[in-house]
Amino acid sequence: MQEIAPLPSVGRNDGKNRIMEYIFLKSEVREDGITIMTVSAPKSLNALNSTVLREIDDFVSNLDTQKTRVLIITGDGEKSFVAGADISEMVHLYEKEGYEFSKLGAIAFRKIELLPIPVIAAVNGFCLGGGCELAMACDFRYASSNAKFGQPEVGLGITPGFSGTYRLAKLIGQGYAKEMIYTGKAIRADEALRIGLVNAVYAPEELMERVIETAQKIVANAPLAIRYAKECINESYDMVAADAIELENRNFGKCFATEDQKAGMTAFLNKEKPSFKGC
Ligand code: CAA
């Protein structure tokens, strides 16, 4: 995977701890193993400029996935998750820079997809272009009833650039993906639910509570088993059936080398609640 040079503004080390200082990201590391990363660029409805993309890359690259068991990604405010890549930056780009900008987003989003922990998008409002692509890099999405999804790029004279053509077609099928991308139309949350782009829709004030509830259910389960399951689901995307099944056989086997497998099954047989250690 190609490395991205971190921006000087992004992280520093005070000798003991790495200190994250971001311009466009806020984060909350909670006691219950859930971390919330919020994209915050209110003047542009949380649009993704190259600094935000580098910050996301840095954040994900340095996330402690032992402490954080579920990552939630959201946007600041109720109006917008992310309204796309930053058009005021892209307007000045030519072919080479366009390619590099696309790579920057694609690499950061691929790192989200490959995190060894589940990532949930809490989609609050506009989820357009690069915003929809960010949400699709997450494992699944819950939306607020005011969310709007779309890939409006062709109306700006460009294609989706942060792996939207790839992930949208995989997620909702080529027919719906082509319709959304060719027309550039925005769809409402209920339509996104119907075509499988999101898993659930809630009132805006309820959204984060519901996402956290689901995240807590995940945290209660065995982290290594979840990691292996995620690896199987991700990898089998691009595999023939025999390889995908073999990978599952191997990861299933690996679970039996963990203490959590013994703890989980013993607790079940003793009619107790299991307590998992992640080893
Ligand atoms: N880039 C830069 N600025 C943006 C932006 C974006 N993607 N989206 C919104 N903004 C800015 C607006 O320019 C405006 O700034 P000013 O106040 O300085 O004028 C501010 O955010 C508020 O936006 P609006 O006044 O337009 O708010 P609205 O409620 O009337 O409309 C909207 C909201 C429908 C989301 C509209 O802002 C919009 O259409 N935004 C662009 C959406 C878009 O095309 N996204 C795809 C970008 S391309 C892409 O993402 C490529 C890729 O795949 C990598």
Side-chain angles (χ1 to χ4, degrees):
M1 190 179 287
Q2 186 180 319
E3 282 303 315
I4 301 169
L7 280 186
S9 67
V10 158
R12 69 184 167 83
N13 209 304
D14 71 353
K16 273 201 226 133
N17 299 308
R18 188 186 153 74
I19 303 196
M20 309 278 218
E21 282 175 351
Y22 297 123
I23 302 165
F24 298 109
L25 291 189
K26 294 179 188 167
S27 62
E28 185 194 350
V29 180
R30 295 163 44 111
E31 289 295 312
D32 58 4
I34 298 167
T35 291
I36 303 174
M37 183 197 92
T38 305
V39 178
S40 179
K43 285 187 189 150
S44 61
L45 299 178
N46 308 326
L48 302 171
N49 59 37
S50 48
T51 303
V52 191
L53 293 171
R54 285 193 168 87
E55 290 185 354
I56 293 174
D57 186 284
D58 185 82
F59 181 86
V60 174
S61 303
N62 291 290
L63 187 67
D64 179 345
T65 53
Q66 297 300 323
K67 272 199 194 133
T68 292
R69 305 263 301 276
V70 176
L71 174 65
I72 296 170
I73 296 183
T74 194
D76 212 357
E78 273 192 9
K79 188 172 172 183
S80 184
F81 174 72
V82 165
D86 192 322
I87 300 167
S88 65
E89 180 173 349
M90 287 188 295
V91 69
H92 302 295
L93 307 183
Y94 289 93
E95 183 172 350
K96 183 170 176 293
E97 296 96 332
Y99 172 80
E100 280 162 6
F101 189 65
S102 176
K103 272 272 193 219
L104 192 62
I107 290 169
F109 291 6
R110 181 74 173 141
K111 286 185 184 175
I112 293 172
E113 186 167 57
L114 293 179
L115 273 174
I117 55 168
V119 186
I120 309 173
V123 179
N124 48 321
F126 292 115
C127 183
L128 302 173
C132 194
E133 291 165 310
L134 172 61
M136 288 191 291
C138 300
D139 289 290
F140 57 89
R141 291 140 291 282
Y142 283 1
S144 66
S145 50
N146 70 340
K148 285 219 169 73
F149 296 81
Q151 296 288 160
E153 288 90 345
V154 294
L156 298 163
I158 57 173
T159 64
F162 300 154
S163 319
T165 53
Y166 176 71
R167 290 204 183 96
L168 190 61
K170 290 270 191 189
L171 200 54
I172 62 172
Q174 285 205 358
Y176 283 129
K178 285 176 174 174
E179 185 185 356
M180 278 181 73
I181 290 171
Y182 299 166
T183 62
K185 71 176 180 184
I187 60 168
R188 290 158 32 134
D190 52 353
E191 175 69 352
L193 179 65
R194 193 181 68 79
I195 62 177
L197 186 52
V198 302
N199 287 12
V201 178
Y202 297 106
E205 62 280 7
E206 219 190 313
L207 174 68
M208 194 46 87
E209 204 182 311
R210 293 283 162 260
V211 174
I212 287 173
E213 223 169 68
T214 296
Q216 284 169 338
K217 281 191 184 132
I218 295 171
V219 169
N221 289 324
L224 282 172
I226 291 170
R227 179 179 299 214
Y228 293 144
K230 177 169 175 172
E231 188 190 16
C232 286
I233 299 168
N234 276 358
E235 297 287 314
S236 62
Y237 240 44
D238 302 314
M239 280 179 171
V240 294
D243 293 343
I245 290 165
E246 173 59 24
L247 175 64
E248 189 185 275
N249 299 153
R250 276 204 309 272
N251 279 7
F252 184 77
K254 280 187 199 169
C255 294
F256 289 80
T258 67
E259 286 183 24
D260 282 351
Q261 174 264 331
K262 305 286 178 270
M265 293 189 179
T266 308
F268 174 81
L269 295 172
N270 292 338
K271 305 195 186 306
E272 290 165 359
K273 249 187 150 208
S275 160
F276 294 114
K277 293 197 200 131
C279 56

